[in-house]
Amino acid sequence: MKKTLFYILVGLVSLPLSFSSCGKPDRGGRTDTPSSGEISFFSDESFSPIVQELINQFEYQFPKAKLNPVYTNENEGFNQIKDLKTCLFITSRRLKPSEVAYLKTKRQVPECFPIGYDGLSLIVNRNNNDMCITVNDVKRILSGEATNWSQIVEGSKRGEIEVVFDNKESATLHYVVDSILGGKPIDSPNIVAAKTSKEVVDYVDKTPNAIGVIGSNWLNDKRDSTNTTFRKNIHVMSISKLDKATPLNSWKPYQAYFLDGRYPFVRTLYAIVVDPQRALPRSFANYITSPKGQLIIMRAGLLPARGDIIIKRVNVKR
């Protein structure tokens, strides 16, 4: 039997890190430089695994730098940026034109760095082997039209579908409303509100009838350097754009399927910077978009935002 595997080859674009300050403006008590000092910054909690890996590597390369992440929800992170209480926020949408205009009234010019792509993933209990689902059925579940597993899988005895999100103000939930439901609110009667992405995984691990909605950067088995193995304690659903989902027309959140468009729920990650000192926050954002940072993103199972990316198909005989 032949099995088709997909490997991604990435030629990362070399971009210089910016380690220059523009003049010597009032630093407001800050002592950080592009390669030293200590800062705190904000990130949506759903991206914490990849953010922490990037921090670890940056601090290894620049041992005089200390980055303290504050993991929060999307609304709080944008409020921190607008109130100038942080110089860096990592999330899954750009600043809106009204938010850019507001910052300009404070004489601040924000920068937005696309840093990578991840997939919005659906996870189910490891004892649930009904792992293919259509985009339309996802919409039916989230809108409240389908509330029982038997409405999705004929003959299923799993009962009511419980939908589990990380946070009611997270980037994950906002993506569902804006990009999957077209701006309509989630109206499933059985919504479970967890506090973190880890709690989503834990809840699904213990609940046979649950579907968890989570970013794909939480799913990879770190022991597998090929990024083709997911966590063992849950199953990751395959999603089809067609009217009937089968194993042959449904796709899991792998990098190759983000790139070629087969996986339907892909979002862009951004580093939003408001740093007039052009010091450590901007330096870290630049590092993420550099070849080293993009390689870290690729090894974490996400798709880098920069680079010449090639998919090669390999047939493996068994």
Side-chain angles (χ1 to χ4, degrees), residues 6-11 116-119 241 251-267 298 301-312:
F6 297 91
Y7 292 89
I8 290 185
L9 303 179
V10 181
Y117 306 92
D118 87 333
K241 297 179 181 180
W251 312 100
K252 293 185 184 295
Y254 292 135
Q255 293 162 314
Y257 304 147
F258 298 167
L259 182 63
D260 67 16
R262 276 183 275 192
Y263 193 76
F265 304 142
V266 181
R267 56 185 179 172
M298 185 183 72
L302 279 67
L303 188 66
R306 296 182 182 274
D308 297 322
I309 301 173
I310 301 171
I311 299 178
K312 287 198 172 182

Side-chain angles (χ1 to χ4, degrees), residues 174-246:
H174 289 164
Y175 177 89
V176 167
V177 172
D178 295 340
S179 300
I180 299 180
L181 296 180
K184 297 179 181 178
I186 297 172
D187 201 23
S188 172
N190 298 312
I191 293 288
V192 177
K195 294 181 180 179
T196 65
S197 299
K198 181 182 182 301
E199 289 184 16
V200 173
V201 176
D202 292 342
Y203 190 91
V204 170
D205 183 28
K206 299 174 183 177
T207 311
N209 62 322
I211 293 180
V213 185
I214 195 171
S216 63
N217 75 118
W218 274 89
L219 300 179
N220 279 25
D221 185 336
K222 302 302 182 184
R223 296 168 295 182
D224 179 11
S225 62
T226 68
N227 293 322
T228 58
T229 303
F230 294 122
R231 289 171 178 255
K232 302 298 185 184
N233 61 330
I234 48 91
H235 284 162
V236 180
M237 300 193 83
S238 300
I239 303 176
S240 174
K241 297 179 181 180
L242 302 181
D243 293 335
K244 182 176 177 58
T246 71

Side-chain angles (χ1 to χ4, degrees), residues 16-253:
L17 293 180
S18 176
F19 286 154
S20 61
S21 295
C22 52
K24 294 184 178 181
D26 178 13
R27 295 181 57 82
R30 286 174 57 185
T31 59
D32 59 293
T33 74
S35 59
S36 67
E38 182 172 356
I39 62 162
S40 295
F41 71 94
F42 283 73
S43 169
D44 190 281
E45 184 274 334
S46 61
F47 307 124
S48 58
I50 182 59
V51 169
Q52 192 59 54
E53 183 63 26
L54 289 161
I55 290 171
N56 293 344
Q57 296 303 319
F58 182 86
E59 290 180 344
Y60 178 80
Q61 183 168 343
F62 303 105
K64 293 183 179 181
K66 176 63 176 174
L67 304 174
N68 301 312
V70 180
Y71 297 119
T72 186
N73 61 67
E74 188 174 82
N75 286 353
E76 176 62 21
F78 276 113
N79 286 337
Q80 293 290 325
I81 278 284
K82 289 189 292 183
D83 292 341
L84 303 182
K85 293 180 179 178
T86 187
C87 295
L88 172 63
F89 177 43
I90 296 176
T91 189
S92 63
R93 75 163 174 86
R94 295 177 177 272
L95 286 165
K96 298 175 182 177
S98 59
E99 293 167 332
V100 173
Y102 174 78
L103 285 167
K104 287 183 177 179
T105 67
K106 295 191 172 186
R107 297 185 178 182
Q108 303 296 328
V109 180
E111 297 177 275
C112 188
F113 296 78
I115 60 176
Y117 306 92
D118 87 333
L120 196 74
S121 307
L122 303 182
I123 60 174
V124 293
N125 186 272
R126 63 186 177 277
N127 294 318
N128 185 346
N129 292 316
D130 298 318
M131 293 190 293
C132 294
I133 192 169
T134 68
V135 170
N136 186 56
D137 281 340
V138 173
K139 293 179 180 180
R140 291 174 62 220
I141 291 170
L142 295 172
S143 66
E145 180 183 343
T147 59
N148 195 289
W149 275 101
S150 62
Q151 296 174 273
I152 303 299
V153 180
E154 186 176 356
S156 175
K157 305 296 184 183
R158 296 191 187 281
E160 291 187 339
I161 301 171
E162 293 188 37
V163 182
V164 193
F165 283 92
D166 52 354
N167 187 292
K168 65 180 181 179
E169 295 182 339
S170 72
T172 299
L173 188 139
H174 289 164
Y175 177 89
V176 167
V177 172
D178 295 340
S179 300
I180 299 180
L181 296 180
K184 297 179 181 178
I186 297 172
D187 201 23
S188 172
N190 298 312
I191 293 288
V192 177
K195 294 181 180 179
T196 65
S197 299
K198 181 182 182 301
E199 289 184 16
V200 173
V201 176
D202 292 342
Y203 190 91
V204 170
D205 183 28
K206 299 174 183 177
T207 311
N209 62 322
I211 293 180
V213 185
I214 195 171
S216 63
N217 75 118
W218 274 89
L219 300 179
N220 279 25
D221 185 336
K222 302 302 182 184
R223 296 168 295 182
D224 179 11
S225 62
T226 68
N227 293 322
T228 58
T229 303
F230 294 122
R231 289 171 178 255
K232 302 298 185 184
N233 61 330
I234 48 91
H235 284 162
V236 180
M237 300 193 83
S238 300
I239 303 176
S240 174
K241 297 179 181 180
L242 302 181
D243 293 335
K244 182 176 177 58
T246 71
L248 294 178
N249 66 21
S250 305
W251 312 100
K252 293 185 184 295

